Amino acid sequence: MKILLAAINAKYIHSNLGVYSLKAYAGQQGGREIEIGEYTINHQMDTILQDIYRRKPDIVGFSCYIWNITYVRRIVRDLIKVLPRVKIWLGGPEVSYDGVCILEQEPAVTGIMAGEGEQTFDELISFYEREGTRGKEDEGKSGLGEIAGIIFRDLSGEIRETPPRRLLPMDAIPFPYNSLRGMEHRIIYYESSRGCPYSCSYCLSSIDKTVRFRSLELVKRELDFFMEQKVPQVKFVDRTFNCKKDHGLAIWRYLLEKDNGITNFHFEISADLLDEEQMEVLRQMRPGLIQLEIGVQTVNPKAICAIRRKTDPGRLERAVKTVREAGNIHQHLDLIAGLPWEDLSSFRRSFDWVYRLRPDQLQLGFLKVLKGSYMAETAKDYGLCFHEEPPYEVLFTRWISYDEILELKMVEDMVEVYYNSCQFDRSLREMEAVWQSPYEMFKDLGEYYREHDLAGINHSRMARYEILYDFLCEKDPDKTEVYRDCLMYDLYLRENVKSRPGFAGDQSRFKGIIRRFFVEEEKNPVYLKGYEAYDSRQMNKMAHIEVMSDGQMILFDYRKRNPLNHNAKAVILGKNTFKD
């Protein structure tokens, strides 16, 4: 019997921990032929259908989330036509909370695994091994009706639902990765705990309030595997990694001790739980060893209360600033627009508050009303209107209109391009001196895009610089040279580009000065130590000198980069350091 676990990921770089975990658990009983098929939403649906067909599975299990459920439904409707005897099972958060409805709408689907799936999947395979894929699915003590945690269609066509499954101890779930072959360029996901102690109304993790932890001895062995394999990035999917201090702290200390100099570990944490003992460990981390994702969501007290979240903004602010001052850890802060009691002016305050914390990334997200969440149950109370189709994103509420949501979408686009890219840092800081509100700064930039028919276009990186220069010159024509210098600094900080933007100053008169600088560095390295194997011409191509409008000379060294944002090392050479 051949079984295929199919995952349709949002991007190629992602992997699906769920299907690997199901295979590892069910594979403990040897001899089972279980394959994994990972695809992306960017694949042609017919390409996925063809691949599944060629594998000729007897059973297919699809992992279902908000980003792929539409694709899964399209595929199963055609899959049953070309493989009429195949058994199709769905699992995952997007089908666990309305399984009966899904089965009513999708006659090709045999059944649904609701909730945690490892043991359920194992028992399903055992059933089909006993009964065959033509087995009597509703008869006898060994039938499907005896398997907890499923919703299925019996032989009479009736939809039946079995009681929920008891949760497994975390140590009973085997390590999902026997090999990482084929995953060299992808993010690896890992969990040291399941569940969440908090009750955030928009989150499905709040349903399982019993947090279960994997034993530290097991976690350490598994982390050793990742570090021995020199995996580029491991993302912990623990919902609040530091909710149990001794567990999280022990893992951080172990990573500090065993750091291989390559692997990066990503954690989602509650920053207001960090204390001085944890901070001291974080300060010792190699730059780039770990990165932190911190869900701020809002600083509006009424909104925090309404979503049943526990946050101390003061402690969170102190923690974020302390981590930032250490300069060795990438911080990603999240906001959610469309929460109850949050109008546009309130959200602006939340945005400005988070922006001034200077996170490495600021994620402006929009409330998603997920099936099974408490937010979905109370949506009418808040006048919360949202998309009927995945990802069920907010359209408007009692406090914020659709027009205002569109304004926030515009700001989100500008933040993503100009802030989260980390390519305009000096320019943005110059802009902040002009705009009192960071939110208004991005709003004005977004309106410029819209008014000049620039929105919705995938502009090149160079075009983004030119658009920003035109915008700034229109706003403040007296500072054109200042803005030109800032943008040129930002441009070369990231990359030694060969083509220059239209606003760039003429550097041809400085060629002799720059050439002599590299000749002197070849003879007697002062600024470019480590380039001894290269001559002056090669060094001139590997590094860059930009002369600013005031005569200031900046050297960009691309062999020495910041491990957090990958920017080149910039050295001020001074004015008129070298005479022409």
Side-chain angles (χ1 to χ4, degrees):
M1 182 179 297
K2 189 172 184 179
I3 303 127
L4 174 67
L5 289 167
I8 304 177
N9 302 322
K11 296 179 181 178
Y12 170 77
I13 197 171
H14 297 168
S15 59
N16 187 298
L17 176 60
V19 294
Y20 287 95
S21 190
L22 295 186
K23 179 180 178 180
Y25 190 91
Q28 292 178 114
Q29 295 190 37
R32 287 175 167 173
E33 189 179 1
I34 305 172
E35 293 183 2
I36 288 176
E38 285 198 272
Y39 316 96
T40 79
I41 60 176
N42 296 314
H43 277 106
Q44 293 290 330
M45 291 300 99
D46 199 47
T47 301
I48 300 176
L49 178 67
Q50 290 174 24
D51 185 73
I52 295 174
Y53 174 79
R54 290 192 178 100
R55 293 173 185 251
K56 294 293 191 298
D58 299 294
I59 304 167
V60 179
F62 286 94
S63 178
C64 302
Y65 297 86
I66 55 175
W67 62 79
N68 71 6
I69 186 62
T70 302
Y71 300 90
V72 170
R73 288 181 137 187
R74 285 172 55 188
I75 289 169
V76 299
R77 292 167 190 167
D78 289 333
L79 184 60
I80 199 66
K81 298 173 185 176
V82 296
L83 291 175
R85 298 187 185 281
V86 71
K87 298 293 183 180
I88 299 174
W89 284 82
L90 309 183
E94 188 54 25
V95 296
S96 287
Y97 302 98
D98 64 343
V100 172
C101 181
I102 294 288
L103 288 182
E104 289 173 345
Q105 295 171 355
E106 303 295 343
V109 176
T110 308
I112 287 169
M113 295 182 287
E116 191 167 276
E118 284 88 355
Q119 193 171 2
T120 302
F121 179 63
D122 179 60
E123 292 180 12
L124 277 174
I125 295 177
S126 296
F127 164 77
Y128 284 119
E129 286 172 340
R130 291 192 306 269
E131 304 294 333
T133 54
R134 302 184 189 182
K136 296 182 179 180
E137 295 168 346
D138 60 341
E139 295 182 5
K141 290 186 178 181
S142 62
L144 287 178
E146 298 299 313
I147 300 175
I150 64 170
I151 306 161
F152 69 100
R153 203 187 318 275
D154 65 22
L155 291 180
S156 69
E158 180 183 354
I159 295 175
R160 297 173 58 185
E161 189 169 359
T162 64
R165 177 170 295 283
R166 294 180 62 184
L167 301 176
L168 287 169
M170 284 296 290
D171 283 9
I173 300 169
F175 185 57
Y177 305 109
N178 291 324
S179 168
L180 296 177
R181 184 176 298 174
M183 302 178 73
E184 292 84 359
H185 305 293
R186 299 165 74 185
I187 298 169
I188 305 299
Y189 294 91
Y190 177 75
E191 58 186 350
S192 71
S193 67
R194 285 185 183 175
C196 183
Y198 301 112
S199 303
C200 302
S201 61
Y202 51 79
C203 181
L204 295 179
S205 295
S206 64
I207 295 171
D208 177 13
K209 296 181 181 62
T210 305
V211 189
R212 293 162 289 151
F213 295 90
R214 206 162 178 79
S215 66
L216 287 170
E217 293 75 17
L218 201 52
V219 170
K220 290 176 181 179
R221 288 202 300 271
E222 292 162 355
L223 294 179
D224 283 341
F225 173 80
F226 294 135
M227 288 185 281
E228 288 164 3
Q229 297 287 316
K230 294 182 170 56
V231 173
Q233 185 176 58
V234 176
K235 275 197 172 186
F236 277 65
V237 297
D238 304 44
R239 298 313 302 162
T240 306
F241 174 77
N242 62 331
C243 66
K244 185 180 179 184
K245 178 182 172 180
D246 59 347
H247 177 83
L249 192 55
I251 291 173
W252 281 346
R253 282 178 170 151
Y254 192 74
L255 295 179
L256 180 60
E257 176 190 351
K258 299 292 185 177
D259 179 19
N260 63 7
I262 296 172
T263 306
N264 166 266
F265 294 89
H266 178 105
F267 301 93
E268 185 175 335
I269 70 163
S270 181
D272 51 345
L273 295 181
L274 293 175
D275 61 16
E276 183 53 38
E277 186 178 12
Q278 293 164 308
M279 288 292 190
E280 183 55 34
V281 173
L282 294 178
R283 289 188 193 100
Q284 299 175 55
M285 299 284 191
R286 163 182 60 85
L289 173 57
I290 73 167
Q291 61 189 49
L292 302 177
E293 182 174 350
I294 299 164
V296 179
Q297 322 310 14
T298 179
V299 294
N300 180 323
K302 292 187 74 172
I304 291 173
C305 181
I307 61 177
R308 307 196 299 185
R309 186 173 175 81
K310 295 180 180 178
T311 302
D312 183 335
R315 290 194 63 179
L316 186 150
E317 179 180 9
R318 289 191 294 274
V320 169
K321 286 181 176 179
T322 300
V323 171
R324 188 190 71 211
E325 287 164 4
N328 62 332
I329 293 174
H330 174 104
Q331 293 187 101
H332 177 137
L333 270 57
D334 296 334
L335 285 170
I336 296 179
L339 295 175
W341 298 100
E342 182 108 274
D343 60 16
L344 184 59
S345 62
S346 169
F347 185 84
R348 287 176 176 178
R349 288 192 294 273
S350 291
F351 180 93
D352 288 347
W353 187 87
V354 169
Y355 184 88
R356 289 182 174 121
L357 293 179
R358 310 302 307 188
D360 296 284
Q361 285 210 310
L362 196 171
Q363 181 68 47
L364 198 172
F366 293 81
L367 178 65
K368 295 173 178 59
V369 186
L370 303 177
K371 297 175 184 178
S373 68
Y374 181 73
M375 185 64 73
E377 296 177 17
T378 56
K380 289 183 179 179
D381 299 336
Y382 299 127
L384 208 169
C385 182
F386 54 95
H387 286 282
E388 293 295 322
E389 298 298 321
Y392 314 113
E393 198 170 87
V394 64
L395 292 167
F396 60 85
T397 73
R398 279 169 46 195
W399 299 272
I400 196 164
S401 69
Y402 185 53
D403 277 330
E404 291 167 332
I405 288 290
L406 293 181
E407 178 179 307
L408 294 175
K409 290 278 186 182
M410 178 180 68
V411 170
E412 177 198 24
D413 289 342
M414 295 299 98
V415 169
E416 194 63 29
V417 169
Y418 288 103
Y419 185 84
N420 288 341
S421 67
C422 302
Q423 295 175 7
F424 299 86
D425 186 63
R426 175 165 287 200
S427 302
L428 288 175
R429 288 182 182 271
E430 187 65 34
M431 292 168 65
E432 290 162 19
V434 178
W435 277 267
Q436 292 184 345
S437 162
Y439 180 91
E440 289 299 320
M441 181 175 75
F442 289 106
K443 174 177 172 288
D444 287 353
L445 181 55
E447 288 175 346
Y448 180 86
Y449 263 73
R450 190 175 59 188
E451 291 165 2
H452 291 77
D453 297 322
L454 298 167
I457 300 172
N458 187 20
H459 297 282
S460 68
R461 179 175 173 230
M462 194 67 73
R464 298 289 189 189
Y465 280 86
E466 292 175 336
I467 292 168
L468 184 56
Y469 178 75
D470 291 342
F471 165 73
L472 292 171
C473 290
E474 182 178 296
K475 290 290 181 181
D476 193 353
D478 294 331
K479 293 180 63 177
T480 55
E481 287 190 352
V482 173
Y483 292 134
R484 179 189 296 116
D485 286 350
C486 288
L487 286 164
M488 293 306 295
Y489 184 96
D490 285 332
L491 178 66
Y492 281 103
L493 195 62
R494 178 57 61 91
E495 183 183 355
N496 191 3
V497 295
K498 302 308 176 188
S499 59
R500 291 167 64 83
F503 61 81
D506 181 16
Q507 301 277 294
S508 60
R509 65 186 186 277
F510 304 115
K511 283 185 177 179
I513 296 172
I514 293 171
R515 189 183 303 115
R516 281 198 295 278
F517 168 82
F518 287 110
V519 169
E520 290 300 319
E521 283 296 303
E522 180 184 357
K523 295 176 182 176
N524 181 30
V526 175
Y527 298 99
L528 294 175
K529 293 179 180 179
Y531 285 73
E532 286 79 7
Y534 305 97
D535 63 29
S536 62
R537 290 185 180 184
Q538 292 171 315
M539 293 163 67
N540 198 349
K541 293 179 180 180
M542 297 168 67
H544 176 76
I545 291 177
E546 184 73 15
V547 183
M548 301 302 178
S549 57
D550 62 355
Q552 190 81 64
M553 302 177 70
I554 311 293
L555 170 68
F556 298 93
D557 183 352
Y558 300 101
R559 298 191 73 194
K560 296 176 183 176
R561 290 183 178 270
N562 184 310
L564 297 186
N565 57 25
H566 306 293
N567 284 339
K569 180 181 179 181
V571 180
I572 299 173
L573 300 179
K575 296 182 183 179
N576 302 318
T577 303
F578 302 95
K579 301 291 184 181
D580 195 359

